[in-house]
Amino acid sequence: MEIRHLLYFKTVAEQLHFRNAAAKLFISQPPLSRQIKELEEELGVLLFSRSNKRVTLTDAGKYFKVEVDAIFARLEESKNIVKQIHLNESGEFKIGYISSVYQTYLAEVLKLMHKEFPYIKTSLYEVPTITQIDALEQGKLDVGILRAPVHSEKLQQQSLFFDPFVVVVPSTTKNFNTQQDLVLFIKSSPFIFFNKEFAPYYNDKLMEICGRMGFKPDITHEANNVHSILQLIEAGLGVSILPSSIKRQYHYLQVSFIELDQIPVNTEVVLAYKQTNKSTALKWFIENYKSQSFND
Amino acid sequence: MEIRHLLYFKTVAEQLHFRNAAAKLFISQPPLSRQIKELEEELGVLLFSRSNKRVTLTDAGKYFKVEVDAIFARLEESKNIVKQIHLNESGEFKIGYISSVYQTYLAEVLKLMHKEFPYIKTSLYEVPTITQIDALEQGKLDVGILRAPVHSEKLQQQSLFFDPFVVVVPSTTKNFNTQQDLVLFIKSSPFIFFNKEFAPYYNDKLMEICGRMGFKPDITHEANNVHSILQLIEAGLGVSILPSSIKRQYHYLQVSFIELDQIPVNTEVVLAYKQTNKSTALKWFIENYKSQSFND
DNA sequence: ATAATTGATACTTAGTAGGTATCATATGGA
DNA sequence: TCCATATGATACCTACTAAGTATCAATTAT
């Protein structure tokens, strides 16, 4: 018995006319007659009653028609779902991240992900927080690593870690004996910082930190990513205040990262994703990214 | 896609080894490899992951395996049930009946039955009540038309009609002016009746009726069926007291059927069948035999 | 380092699904 | 009442394909 037999049976059962059913199946009538006969012989059951060349279903045939319909329905549904599962795990998985994210670690996680989903294609987009939020909402990104707060009802978020701030100064700068000396130095230095429109919450944090230190920062240079900022500092064009988590990634630069004691201002890094995204790949990423987090 | 593909997939999924699966399917490995490839191409889905010549199921494959198992299970069950329905309606349907049943009518019912179940083979067995009860209990009869009571916990019964009794005498007998004359006549006549062991309840009824008339019947001839009894009466060997329902069937005999007024003794005719018999044919017979009953 | 094993591909062939021709029988229309 | 049409079934033929063998490239086991 093959699916062909079941389909032929189903069609004859619906038409109750061999020649009409054959036309519907795009075959000629004799093979249809034979295939039905073979099915009946294999089952050892008469499915149709032929009397005076008219065809009716036997009780066995009536029952079998219902069963065949149910089996076909389930097979079609299974095919659809199996395709969805496949696409879910073999399509493109787009990750947004802010420039301060430790990419070596992200790469490690993606390595594990490819082991789990060999056919997936991951794409990385270094995108500022506010741009990520729009892209996530529009489904252009599957997941984002960005800074809180994420004000969006469409997005779900999961805290990764809290990131305090450090003062970043050129390495040629002399060591400061006291925090007060440090404050005096950066107060009189030009500031290099993120573009306010790209990272408004960063900007707010900067104002808060400097406010606590009793001055307003003189932002003379703007950039839209952290390595540009650091390069300018290294070149001696100014100072900045940046999240502590970048230290590990940019330890090779000729800059100094100075902890800011006693200023309890930090920023939260989160994963964000669209609530309606039920992708298995996304689920894996959410469950596995944080558990491998270096927030220790 | 054919069932063959699903079977090949299922076997590879279970074995996770193409050569082992091929052996199990009694085919060689290359066609199995190709057929699985064709299935994956038709679905547009990778069901297996081949890495370093090792085989694992993808997530899509895992899901599909569960679905294919369920579909195969349902198909097998459907095949079994369809065979049972077929046998149910194309096998032998054995009917027992007491000799006093009106066979013309029974034949009419069977005619209708054959219209409903064209492939059924009905077999009629004229069998006394007590023998029918045993046979029904042992499944040797599908249904019985017999006289109540039927003392059996295994059997279900359905009342057909109540049958009063009549005196049967040879036609040559002169007419009786009063019931008292009739009673005097049969009191002094030899009785022909059913064998007590074949029809004990009949016998009890006879004793009751004669007791009410004030005498004990002189049973000089026994027979095990009603037409033998009637033939003996026609031949002048005696009289009998028999159920009224036989009148219609034996109207051609040279005997007279005389109603017994004022003796409210009768017998109940029932259909009986085994409780556990769920045959569709039996169901039809039970529903249709009585609705065509001439008990009016 | 070599032999064994694996799934995949190329080529060949036996088996079968579907074709056409035709049958016997019943029904519908003139 | 007769003839044309329609029906499902059977016989025979052929194109297509499922399964065979041979062999490959790559990996694992000895």
Side-chain angles (χ1 to χ4, degrees):
Chain A
M1 174 185 292
E2 294 289 9
I3 286 176
R4 180 182 69 247
H5 293 100
L6 302 180
L7 177 63
Y8 290 177
F9 162 72
K10 174 182 155 75
T11 309
V12 175
E14 283 164 1
Q15 302 288 314
L16 296 178
H17 191 287
F18 274 76
R19 287 172 193 258
N20 288 352
K24 206 166 183 194
L25 292 159
F26 302 106
I27 69 171
S28 53
Q29 176 267 323
L32 181 56
S33 179
R34 248 187 337 255
Q35 293 275 306
I36 295 296
K37 193 179 183 82
E38 279 174 30
L39 177 60
E40 286 175 323
E41 280 165 7
E42 179 177 330
L43 287 169
V45 167
L46 266 178
L47 299 169
F48 296 102
S49 164
R50 287 88 149 170
S51 59
N52 301 343
K53 307 289 176 87
R54 292 207 184 296
V55 176
T56 54
L57 278 162
T58 61
D59 280 345
K62 284 171 188 162
Y63 168 84
F64 201 57
K65 172 61 166 69
V66 172
E67 288 299 297
V68 164
D69 283 344
I71 287 167
F72 276 157
R74 183 155 187 179
L75 184 57
E76 285 313 305
E77 187 185 351
S78 300
K79 282 171 160 181
N80 289 337
I81 294 174
V82 92
K83 280 174 192 134
Q84 281 177 354
I85 295 173
H86 178 72
L87 283 172
N88 191 350
E89 299 177 1
S90 65
E92 194 176 6
F93 187 72
K94 305 187 206 81
I95 305 164
Y97 66 97
I98 47 177
S99 58
S100 55
V101 156
Y102 185 30
Q103 286 175 69
T104 305
Y105 174 73
L106 179 54
E108 284 294 312
V109 173
L110 293 187
K111 234 174 158 181
L112 289 172
M113 191 175 191
H114 276 267
K115 279 189 170 179
E116 186 74 16
F117 303 105
Y119 312 106
I120 210 156
K121 181 189 169 196
T122 47
S123 303
L124 297 170
Y125 300 90
E126 188 184 288
V127 185
T129 288
I130 205 160
T131 311
Q132 282 196 50
I133 292 172
D134 279 346
L136 285 163
E137 281 179 335
Q138 291 171 39
K140 290 176 176 173
L141 287 176
D142 290 295
V143 73
I145 307 171
L146 66 178
R147 293 192 186 274
V150 178
H151 293 307
S152 170
E153 290 175 1
K154 287 181 175 177
L155 302 185
Q156 197 86 11
Q157 60 192 290
Q158 179 176 299
S159 182
L160 289 179
F161 58 94
F162 290 87
D163 211 358
F165 286 89
V166 292
V167 174
V168 191
V169 300
S171 283
T172 55
T173 305
K174 66 187 184 213
N175 285 341
F176 304 95
N177 291 324
T178 65
Q179 285 268 295
Q180 195 175 359
D181 290 340
L182 175 64
V183 171
L184 285 171
F185 175 76
I186 61 178
K187 181 176 179 182
S188 60
S189 298
F191 255 78
I192 310 162
F193 206 64
F194 291 98
N195 184 283
K196 182 172 178 165
E197 288 178 20
F198 272 111
Y201 298 107
Y202 253 139
N203 212 270
D204 290 347
K205 291 296 180 182
L206 178 66
M207 294 308 174
E208 183 183 350
I209 293 168
C210 291
R212 285 173 179 256
M213 289 191 283
F215 69 95
K216 196 167 181 176
D218 176 19
I219 301 173
T220 54
H221 298 283
E222 287 186 340
N224 64 358
N225 64 72
V226 75
H227 34 257
S228 297
I229 292 172
L230 290 170
Q231 279 168 349
L232 291 173
I233 295 168
E234 193 182 38
L237 272 69
V239 300
S240 192
I241 293 177
L242 300 172
S244 172
S245 61
I246 62 164
K247 284 199 291 183
R248 182 178 292 196
Q249 185 155 320
Y250 295 98
H251 61 85
Y252 60 90
L253 288 175
Q254 300 296 311
V255 299
S256 297
F257 303 95
I258 307 170
E259 311 275 337
L260 282 169
D261 302 329
Q262 289 145 12
I263 298 186
V265 178
N266 54 35
T267 181
E268 184 184 7
V269 177
V270 298
L271 280 183
Y273 49 93
K274 208 170 176 181
Q275 284 175 25
T276 55
N277 190 338
K278 302 300 179 191
S279 159
T280 310
L282 173 61
K283 193 182 172 212
W284 183 93
F285 193 86
I286 293 162
E287 285 169 7
N288 287 271
Y289 188 91
K290 182 169 183 177
S291 69
Q292 306 270 351
S293 177
F294 59 100
N295 189 25
D296 43 50
Chain B
M1 174 183 293
E2 293 290 9
I3 287 177
R4 179 183 68 247
H5 293 101
L6 303 180
L7 177 63
Y8 289 177
F9 162 72
K10 172 182 155 78
T11 308
V12 176
E14 283 162 3
Q15 301 288 316
L16 296 180
H17 192 286
F18 275 75
R19 286 172 193 259
N20 288 352
K24 209 166 183 198
L25 292 158
F26 303 107
I27 69 173
S28 54
Q29 176 266 323
L32 180 58
S33 179
R34 250 190 333 259
Q35 294 275 306
I36 295 298
K37 194 179 182 83
E38 278 174 32
L39 177 59
E40 286 176 323
E41 278 166 8
E42 180 178 328
L43 287 171
V45 166
L46 265 178
L47 297 169
F48 296 102
S49 165
R50 288 87 148 170
S51 61
N52 300 344
K53 304 296 175 86
R54 295 213 183 291
V55 176
T56 54
L57 279 161
T58 62
D59 281 346
K62 282 169 188 165
Y63 168 82
F64 202 56
K65 171 64 165 66
V66 173
E67 287 299 295
V68 165
D69 283 344
I71 286 167
F72 275 156
R74 185 154 185 178
L75 185 57
E76 284 313 304
E77 190 185 349
S78 300
K79 282 172 162 180
N80 289 336
I81 295 174
V82 92
K83 280 174 193 135
Q84 280 176 353
I85 294 173
H86 177 74
L87 282 173
N88 189 353
E89 298 176 0
S90 64
E92 192 177 5
F93 188 70
K94 303 187 208 82
I95 305 164
Y97 66 97
I98 47 176
S99 61
S100 58
V101 155
Y102 184 33
Q103 287 176 68
T104 305
Y105 175 73
L106 180 54
E108 284 295 312
V109 173
L110 294 187
K111 235 175 155 182
L112 290 173
M113 191 174 193
H114 276 265
K115 279 188 169 179
E116 186 74 15
F117 303 105
Y119 313 106
I120 209 156
K121 181 186 167 199
T122 47
S123 303
L124 298 170
Y125 301 91
E126 186 184 290
V127 185
T129 288
I130 204 161
T131 311
Q132 284 195 50
I133 292 173
D134 279 347
L136 286 162
E137 284 181 330
Q138 291 172 40
K140 289 175 174 174
L141 287 174
D142 291 298
V143 72
I145 306 171
L146 66 178
R147 291 191 187 274
V150 179
H151 292 310
S152 171
E153 291 176 1
K154 287 183 177 177
L155 303 184
Q156 197 88 10
Q157 62 192 290
Q158 181 177 297
S159 183
L160 289 179
F161 59 93
F162 289 88
D163 210 358
F165 286 88
V166 292
V167 174
V168 191
V169 300
S171 284
T172 54
T173 307
K174 68 189 181 205
N175 283 342
F176 302 97
N177 291 324
T178 66
Q179 287 266 297
Q180 195 174 359
D181 289 341
L182 173 66
V183 170
L184 284 171
F185 174 75
I186 62 176
K187 182 177 177 178
S188 61
S189 298
F191 254 79
I192 311 164
F193 206 65
F194 291 99
N195 185 283
K196 178 171 181 166
E197 289 179 19
F198 274 111
Y201 296 109
Y202 253 138
N203 214 268
D204 289 348
K205 291 296 183 186
L206 179 69
M207 296 306 175
E208 184 182 349
I209 292 166
C210 293
R212 284 171 181 256
M213 291 190 281
F215 70 96
K216 197 168 178 175
D218 176 20
I219 300 171
T220 55
H221 297 284
E222 286 187 341
N224 65 358
N225 65 74
V226 74
H227 34 257
S228 297
I229 293 171
L230 289 169
Q231 279 167 351
L232 293 174
I233 295 169
E234 194 181 35
L237 273 71
V239 301
S240 192
I241 291 177
L242 300 173
S244 174
S245 60
I246 62 162
K247 283 198 296 187
R248 183 180 290 193
Q249 184 156 320
Y250 296 98
H251 59 85
Y252 61 90
L253 288 174
Q254 299 297 308
V255 296
S256 294
F257 303 97
I258 306 167
E259 312 276 338
L260 283 169
D261 302 330
Q262 291 145 11
I263 298 187
V265 178
N266 54 36
T267 183
E268 185 184 8
V269 177
V270 298
L271 281 184
Y273 48 94
K274 206 172 180 181
Q275 284 178 22
T276 56
N277 189 340
K278 303 299 180 192
S279 162
T280 310
L282 172 63
K283 192 181 173 209
W284 183 94
F285 191 88
I286 293 163
E287 284 170 6
N288 288 270
Y289 186 91
K290 182 171 180 174
S291 69
Q292 305 272 351
S293 178
F294 58 100
N295 188 25
D296 43 47

